[in-house]
Amino acid sequence: MSRLLIKATALAALVLSLLETTNAIGSAENYTGSICKDFVNYQVWVPPNSTISSIEASLIQEGIVAQNLKSVPTVCLEPFMEFVCSTNFARAIPSSTPSGKGNLIPNCDSPVDGTTSYSPPNGISYQPDGSCNSVTNLAGSISLDGNRTTVICPLPFIPDTMQGPGGTTTNANVCSGGCCLPCPAQYSLYREGSLETGYMVSDITRIVSTVLSAILLLSYIFLPDKLAHPSMMVFCQIIGAFLFSVVGFFSIIERKDIQCLDEINPSTQQNNMKCAIQGAIQVFSATLFCAWNTAVVLNLHLHMVWNSSWFARNYVITHTLCWGLPITLTAISLGMGEIQWNTGSYCFIAQEKASAIFFYPMGVFLFPTFLIHIGTFFHIARVTIASRNESSANSRPAAMPDSTTTLALTTYRHVVAAIQIQWRAALMASLAITLVVYYWLFYFFQFRKMLPEHLRPNIQNHFVGCLLNGGTQNSCAVELEPYLPPFSLMISAEVLVSAAGIASFIIFFKPSLIGEWRECFDSFKYFLFQEGRREKNVDEEFVAMRMQERREKIEEEFAMRKL
């Protein structure tokens, strides 16, 4: 009996000690208050000898009441309430402790569900902000004594719809303090209507490029003698220009259908099928245009400088490389899920990945191609000067041409013949390289200013502050201007690359194509309706022109074979 009494006494002492321990460290309770109901939806830690009601009573005594808070600006009210609620109602998370009372202790050493943990130097994982408690506005507005206060955002900002996971902000890149820049966000950072107008000019340029490059493509497909080497390489390059331009039809009716998912969030390949299709076409066509432009430049260089016809003999390798690279980069972009809207009217590779997936691979062969093309023209100039000097020396009395002079003149004639045949391709290659390099340099050196890590602090420091001080979008855009890509460079880069089809048409469309199309239509009409041949007096001039062109072409081919 005495032993049983001793055990009972010891057990009672243990229970009392545990109760005292529980009292000493506080308790975890469901939040039942009102002041922080827009921020707290978890179990909170209540200190010893305190209750949720007593904590809120002390807050009210300190001035946290509706009539005082209503005078606080919206952008300041939410951060202030986050601070008040996170410091007075800490999140209670169980921790593994030997006492067995871990459910009563808030745990700062473990990540909260739904957050991303990281490891500091001591190897302990905790919440990203380094605290036990990180709260956000749960409803997009703040309740004060039961009266909901609507968030009022300075234009051009709009209230955050708070449709992110777990009631978080819709888009942390463009939202802060319950307010967001409407999609497309860039429109709000420049003067009102300026980017819309600039991108409309770019879209119209693409539509015109589409029509003109389509005329060229049809000419190469249906008219005779257009798909022989080296015209085949130009034809493939024009295909790239056409596909790059044809995406303009995606935004001809409503540009925002491509740019935006909703009022705040931009389009991605995951949430907008039109964005995925258009972005894939854009990546493929841009790479195709650059790849075939490189092939044209290298063919010109080998033909003029080294008198080599490597490309004419190795079309299988050329097509495999020039079509395989665009397909590969497009597949990588889609496979990684990186197609989304960044700028302009169209989707492309995500800004953070664009350099690694697209621009760096383009730069690997684009800049060497540029240098090779310059070297080709230097060779042409050197050969021309040398041949003129030799001709001048041999024009003196009693001068006899030697083997060196003969070689110089032969080389010069070869270069001249090559230029006569391929000058249009050379001009197009020069223009294409200039356009692509210009856009690459703009994107690499200027557009990185639009990266969220660079843009967010500048918006907060130079744009939002200006708006809160009574500024308008136009006046505050001036304050932000030094921290954004220059408007003129941005629009010129978009318009110039959109004009690739127009440039192709101007360079490769010859007046004789009109006559060839007329002859083609007449033949088709004769085939369908068995109509008589064209009247002689109408076609004499055209026939003479065609005969002269064919005669010149035969002479050029004969001269090339002779060389």
Side-chain angles (χ1 to χ4, degrees):
M1 177 65 75
S2 60
R3 287 183 180 180
L4 181 61
L5 183 59
I6 292 172
K7 288 182 179 180
T9 304
L11 181 61
L14 176 60
V15 170
L16 288 175
S17 67
L18 290 177
L19 289 175
E20 288 175 1
T21 302
T22 302
N23 236 2
I25 63 176
S27 60
E29 300 180 15
N30 291 325
Y31 177 77
T32 56
S34 60
I35 291 180
C36 293
K37 64 182 180 181
D38 290 321
F39 298 92
V40 176
N41 62 351
Y42 50 81
Q43 278 199 326
V44 299
W45 175 70
V46 179
N49 304 318
S50 297
T51 63
I52 292 175
S53 299
S54 65
I55 295 173
E56 293 205 339
S58 64
L59 291 176
I60 293 173
Q61 186 176 1
E62 293 171 4
I64 310 299
V65 291
Q67 56 266 32
N68 292 340
L69 296 178
K70 284 181 179 178
S71 61
V72 179
T74 301
V75 292
C76 300
L77 177 57
E78 184 171 331
F80 173 72
M81 291 303 297
E82 288 179 356
F83 168 75
V84 169
C85 295
S86 63
T87 53
N88 287 276
F89 297 106
R91 193 186 303 261
I93 300 176
S95 65
S96 54
T97 59
S99 67
K101 299 296 181 181
N103 63 320
L104 304 178
I105 303 174
N107 181 7
C108 291
D109 295 334
S110 297
V112 176
D113 291 340
T115 66
T116 303
S117 63
Y118 65 94
S119 298
N122 60 8
I124 299 175
S125 297
Y126 50 91
Q127 290 191 66
D129 60 357
S131 66
C132 288
N133 202 35
S134 178
V135 300
T136 57
N137 194 326
L138 301 174
S141 54
I142 300 175
S143 301
L144 302 176
D145 286 355
N147 299 318
R148 186 161 294 280
T149 303
T150 302
V151 174
I152 301 174
C153 301
L155 293 175
F157 286 83
I158 61 175
D160 191 351
T161 55
M162 288 294 184
Q163 294 176 352
T168 57
T169 184
T170 301
N171 188 333
N173 290 332
V174 295
C175 298
S176 178
C179 297
C180 303
L181 286 171
C183 182
Q186 294 170 14
Y187 285 11
S188 301
L189 304 179
Y190 290 85
R191 294 178 181 273
E192 290 185 68
S194 58
L195 281 188
E196 291 94 323
T197 303
Y199 290 148
M200 183 180 297
V201 172
S202 173
D203 293 344
I204 294 173
T205 303
R206 288 212 183 196
I207 298 300
V208 175
S209 288
T210 302
V211 174
L212 296 182
S213 57
I215 294 173
L216 274 182
L217 285 180
L218 294 175
S219 299
Y220 272 78
I221 292 172
F222 292 106
L223 297 182
D225 304 326
K226 293 291 184 294
L227 294 181
H229 178 78
S231 297
M232 171 61 75
M233 305 176 76
V234 175
F235 171 69
C236 293
Q237 188 180 15
I238 295 174
I239 292 177
F242 170 76
L243 292 176
F244 187 78
S245 302
V246 81
V247 297
F249 285 96
F250 280 83
S251 61
I252 193 171
I253 298 176
E254 181 52 60
R255 192 178 299 114
K256 277 196 174 183
D257 286 349
I258 289 291
Q259 297 169 318
C260 303
L261 170 66
D262 50 39
E263 290 186 345
I264 297 173
N265 296 293
S267 294
T268 66
Q269 69 177 75
Q270 290 80 12
N271 60 35
N272 188 334
M273 183 59 66
K274 289 172 65 176
C275 174
I277 296 172
Q278 177 268 302
I281 295 175
Q282 179 122 309
V283 174
F284 176 81
S285 59
T287 312
L288 183 70
F289 181 79
C290 292
W292 279 104
N293 184 71
T294 298
V296 169
V297 170
L298 294 178
N299 178 66
L300 287 168
H301 180 78
L302 291 175
H303 189 65
M304 292 184 180
V305 179
W306 305 103
N307 195 19
S308 171
S309 301
W310 186 90
F311 280 90
R313 300 191 306 270
N314 296 277
Y315 255 75
V316 173
I317 297 176
T318 304
H319 279 277
T320 301
L321 293 175
C322 291
W323 290 94
L325 179 63
I327 293 172
T328 300
L329 293 188
T330 305
I332 291 173
S333 303
L334 290 172
M336 294 178 63
E338 296 295 342
I339 299 293
Q340 65 179 43
W341 179 81
N342 297 303
T343 183
S345 302
Y346 313 102
C347 293
F348 195 61
I349 303 171
Q351 192 175 349
E352 295 82 358
K353 301 291 185 179
S355 292
I357 296 177
F358 181 79
F359 287 107
Y360 288 152
M362 291 299 99
V364 167
F365 62 84
L366 187 63
F367 286 101
T369 301
F370 181 71
L371 296 177
I372 289 172
H373 204 47
I374 292 176
T376 302
F377 282 103
F378 272 112
H379 173 77
I380 294 172
R382 183 177 60 81
V383 168
T384 303
I385 293 172
S387 65
R388 287 178 180 175
N389 291 339
E390 295 293 342
S391 298
S392 176
N394 289 323
S395 65
R396 298 169 187 168
M400 294 294 293
D402 55 17
S403 59
T404 304
T405 302
T406 303
L407 178 61
L409 293 176
T410 302
T411 305
Y412 173 71
R413 292 191 188 105
H414 167 77
V415 170
V416 169
I419 292 175
Q420 288 175 344
I421 295 174
Q422 302 192 52
W423 71 268
R424 296 177 187 274
L427 179 59
M428 185 61 204
S430 302
L431 184 60
I433 288 177
T434 302
L435 293 179
V436 175
V437 169
Y438 178 80
Y439 190 85
W440 193 92
L441 292 175
F442 163 77
Y443 198 98
F444 189 78
F445 290 105
Q446 287 294 333
F447 200 69
R448 63 173 52 196
K449 295 178 181 178
M450 287 293 188
L451 289 170
E453 60 266 26
H454 297 155
L455 190 58
R456 277 197 304 264
N458 290 326
I459 292 176
Q460 189 69 35
N461 297 333
H462 304 285
F463 191 64
V464 174
C466 174
L467 293 173
L468 293 177
N469 288 328
T472 63
Q473 178 178 336
N474 287 342
S475 62
C476 294
V478 176
E479 299 289 330
L480 190 60
E481 193 173 279
Y483 308 97
L484 296 175
F487 172 78
S488 58
L489 289 180
M490 178 179 288
I491 299 304
S492 64
E494 291 288 336
V495 171
L496 287 175
V497 296
S498 299
I502 298 176
S504 300
F505 182 85
I506 293 174
I507 292 173
F508 291 107
F509 191 86
K510 298 180 287 187
S512 60
L513 289 178
I514 299 175
E516 291 184 49
W517 272 113
R518 181 181 171 185
E519 185 180 15
C520 181
F521 283 130
D522 285 346
S523 300
F524 184 69
K525 186 168 62 174
Y526 177 78
F527 174 77
L528 288 180
F529 305 108
Q530 297 297 311
E531 292 185 1
R533 293 288 184 182
R534 295 153 299 185
E535 298 179 3
K536 267 188 179 181
N537 58 348
V538 177
D539 294 321
E540 283 179 354
E541 184 178 349
F542 169 71
V543 171
M545 181 179 64
R546 290 286 294 153
M547 291 179 65
Q548 177 64 25
E549 285 184 354
R550 289 177 179 175
R551 187 181 302 113
E552 291 176 355
K553 185 175 182 180
I554 292 172
E555 290 175 355
E556 289 174 356
E557 291 177 350
F558 177 76
M560 291 300 298
R561 286 196 296 269
K562 187 176 180 182
L563 292 175

